[in-house]
Amino acid sequence: SAFESLRTYNRRPFHLSGHLERLYRSAAMIDLEIPFTREFLAGIVREAIERNAYKHASVRLLVTGGESEDGVLPADQPGLAVLITELAERDMEHFAQGAKLITTSLQRTTPEAKTTNYTSAIRALKEAKRRAASDALFVNEQGHVLEGTRSNFFVFRGDTLVTPGAGVLSGVTRRAVLELAEGRFSIQERPILLAELAQVDEAFITSSSKEITPVVRIDDVMIGDGKAGPRTYELEQRFIEMVERGEFW
């Protein structure tokens, strides 16, 4: 199955078209046909929002292979489920504290597709919890830091913003952050070496629910001075202003 998890601000879906585009792309990567049109799915999302009184919410669209005649192969009748849950207001105190992450050598299957194969993510998150961390970063055999279990990863080296561009899920919030950074910071989409983390000035992760979350420690490496950095804070303020102006679709 393939899925999308998007959020709303003041009952408006954040970049709905981008999430639907990625849903179809993910399904194509795992050879799952989606018989529903984008207009139909967009309507279902909006109906779910209208039926609930949540000011801010998380909306998940799940497309499965449906019933199977032999217990393995889907019978070309995909199923659709839409779930909506309430989200709390933004917590700037949590932002100021930052997050502690660990690294893991576990690998995702088809990382460019958003599927329900979360085996590696669940194992990594359990290890993170045991080590009093909130998330884990996948590191491949080449020593490249890729992404979090449910987030994209960024670092600042001076005024240069660096984020992996290959072997990761193309995050919708990631794309919004890159657009906000354009013209203000130099941007590099390239591998981030594990050994490079000790030299970065700031780091943060992005996702629909986490928005922009500073990272203050990775394994035993303190990032910068161990606090949310000024460039990350500036991007967060730009993100908040964008949301308050309603400049998303």
Side-chain angles (χ1 to χ4, degrees), residues 4-147:
E4 273 299 314
S5 184
L6 60 100
R7 68 159 298 155
T8 68
Y9 290 100
N10 295 315
R11 302 179 60 78
R12 285 187 58 202
F14 183 77
H15 287 286
L16 176 57
S17 60
H19 280 285
L20 292 178
E21 176 185 336
R22 191 174 63 182
L23 177 64
Y24 282 86
R25 186 165 63 247
S26 295
M29 288 181 185
I30 62 172
D31 199 23
L32 172 63
E33 183 179 353
I34 300 181
F36 315 108
T37 66
R38 283 171 170 78
E39 292 74 18
F40 173 81
L41 292 179
I44 289 289
V45 169
R46 293 191 175 94
E47 182 178 351
I49 295 169
E50 290 172 1
R51 287 190 178 193
N52 292 272
Y54 305 142
K55 181 180 179 182
H56 310 305
S58 172
V59 182
R60 177 168 296 197
L61 293 90
L62 174 68
V63 180
T64 75
E67 297 182 2
S68 173
E69 295 177 354
D70 61 4
V72 178
L73 292 175
D76 297 324
Q77 293 180 335
L80 171 66
V82 179
L83 302 88
I84 182 168
T85 54
E86 187 174 15
L87 288 178
E89 294 285 347
R90 183 181 295 108
D91 186 351
M92 291 306 294
E93 183 177 340
H94 177 72
F95 176 92
Q97 292 174 348
K100 176 186 175 183
L101 310 182
I102 65 168
T103 58
T104 178
S105 60
L106 295 169
Q107 300 298 303
R108 290 183 58 200
T109 302
T110 320
E112 296 88 352
K114 197 170 183 67
T115 72
T116 53
N117 184 355
Y118 263 47
T119 303
S120 296
I122 291 170
R123 292 177 61 195
L125 283 168
K126 286 184 176 181
E127 178 61 21
K129 185 177 181 180
R130 284 192 288 267
R131 293 168 56 183
S134 60
D135 203 350
L137 294 169
F138 292 114
V139 179
N140 66 16
E141 295 178 352
Q142 290 75 43
H144 298 161
V145 185
L146 300 173
E147 61 186 343

